[in-house]
Amino acid sequence: MTMPRTYTRYAREAVTLLGEQIRLGRKQRRWTEKNLAERAGISRATLQKIENGDMGCAVGLVFEVAALVGVTLFDHDTPALARHTDHTRDKIALLPQRIKTGGEAVFDDF
Amino acid sequence: MTMPRTYTRYAREAVTLLGEQIRLGRKQRRWTEKNLAERAGISRATLQKIENGDMGCAVGLVFEVAALVGVTLFDHDTPALARHTDHTRDKIALLPQRIKTGGEAVFDDF
DNA sequence: GCATTAAGACCACTTTAATGATCATTAGAT
DNA sequence: ATCTAATGATCATTAAAGTGGTCTTAATGC
């Protein structure tokens, strides 16, 4: 028996909500589980896990399915998304490439 | 050789952006990879995959790490999150429990 | 009411993620 | 200039996801 992973409440609730939103989106489109699973190229069993908020599902599959039913976490516009990514990278570039922890203790709540 | 999974551009870019945002959040807090990995209870190798936008990482781990560095996809407030989930379920409850596809073809782009 | 089949739940099998480790590189601090 | 350690990368092993299958239940359409 391996001690099961623990998650923060936020992480659990966020994944749960995402799953429910996917289920809602699917039903609004009148798609069956089988139907959506086929569109996404995954098995029905996996889709069920996703809709049930299983923490272990691959993030790529979850986002893929979400997008298919119109649930977008970020901007639905991909060019805008790419720009956002570039912008984030620009901000990272302004920070030191490596964090030098002087032993320990780092809080800097900017 | 097994034909690798394909993803929509949106899904790929969304996961990439999320990874970059996590990296930015970590650096803003001056946390090293090792440091954040320990806080999240995962290995450094897995954290690197997450920050690099690996599609195969467990959604639970990604959300967990994201939350730790202040990147929240949904409302950061967990009670509000729970209410949102309930609300989504309420909306689902208004729809038929099972979709009866009269053979095939369902589009209903409401 | 009756037939159909969507959806919930399992299971054995295959594939893949997650781990802990190691090694090379080099940014950043002294 | 030198030293330290953060980061990037790879690898064998272990744990777990994803799959296709089956069986059951019961909501919906007739």
Coordinates of all heavy atoms in Angstrom, one line a residue, chain D residues 10-22:
Chain D
dT10 P 17.8 14.6 -23.8 OP1 18.3 14.5 -25.2 OP2 16.4 14.8 -23.4 O5' 18.3 13.2 -23.0 C5' 19.7 13.1 -22.7 C4' 19.9 11.9 -21.8 O4' 19.6 12.3 -20.4 C3' 19.0 10.7 -22.1 O3' 19.8 9.5 -22.2 C2' 18.0 10.6 -21.0 C1' 18.8 11.2 -19.8 N1 18.1 11.8 -18.7 C2 18.4 11.4 -17.5 O2 19.3 10.6 -17.2 N3 17.6 12.0 -16.5 C4 16.6 13.0 -16.7 O4 16.0 13.4 -15.7 C5 16.3 13.3 -18.0 C7 15.3 14.3 -18.3 C6 17.1 12.7 -19.0
dC11 P 19.3 8.1 -22.6 OP1 20.4 7.4 -23.4 OP2 18.0 8.3 -23.2 O5' 19.1 7.3 -21.2 C5' 20.2 7.2 -20.3 C4' 19.8 6.2 -19.2 O4' 19.2 7.0 -18.1 C3' 18.8 5.2 -19.6 O3' 19.1 3.9 -19.0 C2' 17.5 5.7 -19.1 C1' 17.9 6.5 -17.9 N1 17.0 7.6 -17.5 C2 16.8 7.8 -16.1 O2 17.4 7.1 -15.3 N3 15.9 8.8 -15.8 C4 15.3 9.6 -16.7 N4 14.5 10.6 -16.3 C5 15.6 9.3 -18.1 C6 16.4 8.3 -18.4
dA12 P 18.5 2.6 -19.7 OP1 19.5 1.9 -20.4 OP2 17.2 2.9 -20.3 O5' 18.2 1.7 -18.3 C5' 19.1 1.7 -17.3 C4' 18.4 1.4 -16.0 O4' 17.6 2.6 -15.6 C3' 17.4 0.2 -16.0 O3' 17.5 -0.5 -14.8 C2' 16.1 0.9 -16.3 C1' 16.2 2.2 -15.5 N9 15.4 3.3 -16.0 C8 15.2 3.6 -17.3 N7 14.5 4.7 -17.5 C5 14.2 5.1 -16.2 C6 13.5 6.2 -15.7 N6 12.8 7.1 -16.5 N1 13.4 6.4 -14.4 C2 14.0 5.5 -13.6 N3 14.7 4.4 -13.9 C4 14.8 4.3 -15.3
dT13 P 16.5 -1.8 -14.6 OP1 17.3 -2.8 -13.8 OP2 15.9 -2.1 -15.9 O5' 15.4 -1.1 -13.6 C5' 15.8 -0.5 -12.4 C4' 14.6 0.0 -11.7 O4' 14.0 1.2 -12.4 C3' 13.4 -1.0 -11.6 O3' 13.0 -1.1 -10.2 C2' 12.3 -0.4 -12.5 C1' 12.6 1.1 -12.4 N1 12.1 1.8 -13.6 C2 11.4 3.0 -13.4 O2 11.1 3.4 -12.3 N3 11.0 3.6 -14.6 C4 11.3 3.2 -15.9 O4 10.9 3.9 -16.9 C5 12.1 2.0 -16.0 C7 12.4 1.5 -17.4 C6 12.4 1.4 -14.9
dT14 P 11.9 -2.1 -9.8 OP1 12.3 -2.7 -8.5 OP2 11.5 -3.0 -11.0 O5' 10.6 -1.2 -9.5 C5' 10.8 0.0 -8.7 C4' 9.6 0.8 -8.7 O4' 9.4 1.5 -10.0 C3' 8.3 0.1 -8.5 O3' 7.5 0.8 -7.6 C2' 7.6 0.0 -9.9 C1' 8.1 1.3 -10.5 N1 8.2 1.3 -12.0 C2 7.6 2.4 -12.6 O2 7.1 3.4 -12.1 N3 7.7 2.4 -14.0 C4 8.3 1.4 -14.8 O4 8.3 1.5 -16.0 C5 8.8 0.2 -14.0 C7 9.4 -0.9 -14.7 C6 8.7 0.3 -12.7
dA15 P 6.1 0.2 -7.0 OP1 6.1 0.3 -5.6 OP2 5.8 -1.1 -7.7 O5' 5.0 1.3 -7.6 C5' 5.3 2.7 -7.4 C4' 4.3 3.5 -8.2 O4' 4.7 3.3 -9.6 C3' 2.9 3.0 -8.1 O3' 2.1 4.2 -7.8 C2' 2.5 2.4 -9.4 C1' 3.5 3.0 -10.4 N9 3.9 2.0 -11.4 C8 4.4 0.8 -11.2 N7 4.7 0.2 -12.4 C5 4.4 1.1 -13.3 C6 4.5 1.1 -14.7 N6 5.0 0.1 -15.4 N1 4.2 2.2 -15.4 C2 3.7 3.3 -14.7 N3 3.5 3.4 -13.4 C4 3.9 2.3 -12.8
dA16 P 0.5 4.0 -7.7 OP1 0.1 5.1 -6.7 OP2 0.1 2.6 -7.5 O5' 0.0 4.5 -9.1 C5' 0.5 5.6 -9.7 C4' 0.0 5.8 -11.1 O4' 0.6 4.8 -12.0 C3' -1.5 5.5 -11.2 O3' -2.0 6.5 -12.1 C2' -1.6 4.2 -11.8 C1' -0.4 4.2 -12.8 N9 0.0 2.8 -13.1 C8 0.2 1.7 -12.4 N7 0.6 0.7 -13.0 C5 0.8 1.2 -14.3 C6 1.2 0.5 -15.5 N6 1.6 -0.7 -15.6 N1 1.2 1.3 -16.7 C2 0.8 2.6 -16.6 N3 0.4 3.2 -15.5 C4 0.4 2.5 -14.4
dA17 P -3.6 6.9 -12.2 OP1 -3.9 8.1 -11.4 OP2 -4.4 5.6 -11.9 O5' -3.7 7.2 -13.7 C5' -2.8 8.1 -14.3 C4' -2.6 7.8 -15.7 O4' -2.1 6.5 -16.0 C3' -4.0 8.0 -16.5 O3' -3.7 8.6 -17.7 C2' -4.4 6.5 -16.7 C1' -3.0 5.8 -16.8 N9 -3.0 4.4 -16.3 C8 -3.4 3.9 -15.1 N7 -3.2 2.6 -15.0 C5 -2.7 2.2 -16.2 C6 -2.3 1.0 -16.7 N6 -2.4 -0.1 -16.0 N1 -1.9 0.9 -18.0 C2 -1.8 2.1 -18.7 N3 -2.1 3.3 -18.3 C4 -2.6 3.3 -17.1
dG18 P -5.0 9.1 -18.6 OP1 -4.6 10.3 -19.3 OP2 -6.2 9.1 -17.7 O5' -5.1 7.9 -19.7 C5' -4.1 7.7 -20.6 C4' -4.4 6.6 -21.5 O4' -4.3 5.3 -20.8 C3' -5.9 6.6 -22.0 O3' -5.9 6.4 -23.4 C2' -6.6 5.4 -21.3 C1' -5.4 4.5 -21.0 N9 -5.6 3.7 -19.8 C8 -6.1 4.1 -18.6 N7 -6.2 3.2 -17.7 C5 -5.7 2.1 -18.3 C6 -5.5 0.7 -17.9 O6 -5.8 0.3 -16.8 N1 -5.0 -0.1 -18.9 C2 -4.7 0.3 -20.1 N2 -4.2 -0.6 -21.0 N3 -4.9 1.6 -20.6 C4 -5.4 2.4 -19.6
dT19 P -7.3 6.2 -24.1 OP1 -7.2 6.8 -25.5 OP2 -8.4 6.7 -23.2 O5' -7.4 4.6 -24.3 C5' -6.3 3.9 -24.8 C4' -6.6 2.5 -24.9 O4' -6.6 1.9 -23.6 C3' -7.9 2.2 -25.5 O3' -7.8 1.4 -26.7 C2' -8.7 1.4 -24.4 C1' -7.6 0.9 -23.5 N1 -8.0 0.8 -22.1 C2 -7.9 -0.4 -21.4 O2 -7.6 -1.4 -22.0 N3 -8.3 -0.3 -20.1 C4 -8.7 0.8 -19.4 O4 -9.1 0.7 -18.2 C5 -8.8 2.0 -20.1 C7 -9.3 3.2 -19.4 C6 -8.5 2.0 -21.4
dG20 P -8.9 1.4 -27.8 OP1 -8.2 1.3 -29.1 OP2 -9.8 2.5 -27.5 O5' -9.6 0.0 -27.6 C5' -8.9 -1.2 -27.6 C4' -9.7 -2.3 -27.0 O4' -9.8 -2.1 -25.6 C3' -11.1 -2.4 -27.5 O3' -11.3 -3.8 -27.9 C2' -12.0 -2.0 -26.3 C1' -11.1 -2.4 -25.2 N9 -11.3 -1.6 -23.9 C8 -11.7 -0.3 -23.8 N7 -11.8 0.1 -22.6 C5 -11.6 -1.1 -21.8 C6 -11.6 -1.3 -20.4 O6 -11.8 -0.4 -19.5 N1 -11.3 -2.6 -20.1 C2 -11.0 -3.6 -21.0 N2 -10.7 -4.8 -20.5 N3 -11.0 -3.4 -22.3 C4 -11.3 -2.1 -22.6
dG21 P -12.7 -4.2 -28.5 OP1 -12.4 -5.2 -29.5 OP2 -13.6 -3.1 -28.8 O5' -13.3 -5.0 -27.2 C5' -12.6 -6.1 -26.6 C4' -13.2 -6.4 -25.3 O4' -13.0 -5.4 -24.4 C3' -14.8 -6.5 -25.3 O3' -15.1 -7.9 -25.5 C2' -15.2 -6.1 -23.9 C1' -14.0 -5.4 -23.4 N9 -14.2 -4.1 -22.9 C8 -14.4 -2.9 -23.7 N7 -14.7 -1.9 -23.0 C5 -14.7 -2.3 -21.7 C6 -14.9 -1.6 -20.5 O6 -15.2 -0.4 -20.4 N1 -14.9 -2.4 -19.4 C2 -14.6 -3.7 -19.4 N2 -14.6 -4.4 -18.3 N3 -14.4 -4.4 -20.5 C4 -14.4 -3.6 -21.6
dT22 P -16.7 -8.3 -25.6 OP1 -16.7 -9.7 -26.2 OP2 -17.4 -7.2 -26.3 O5' -17.2 -8.4 -24.1 C5' -16.5 -9.1 -23.1 C4' -17.1 -8.8 -21.8 O4' -16.8 -7.4 -21.4 C3' -18.6 -9.0 -21.7 O3' -18.9 -10.0 -20.8 C2' -19.1 -7.6 -21.3 C1' -17.9 -6.9 -20.7 N1 -18.0 -5.4 -21.0 C2 -18.1 -4.6 -19.9 O2 -18.2 -5.0 -18.7 N3 -18.1 -3.3 -20.1 C4 -18.1 -2.7 -21.4 O4 -18.1 -1.5 -21.5 C5 -17.9 -3.6 -22.5 C7 -17.8 -3.1 -23.9 C6 -17.9 -4.9 -22.2

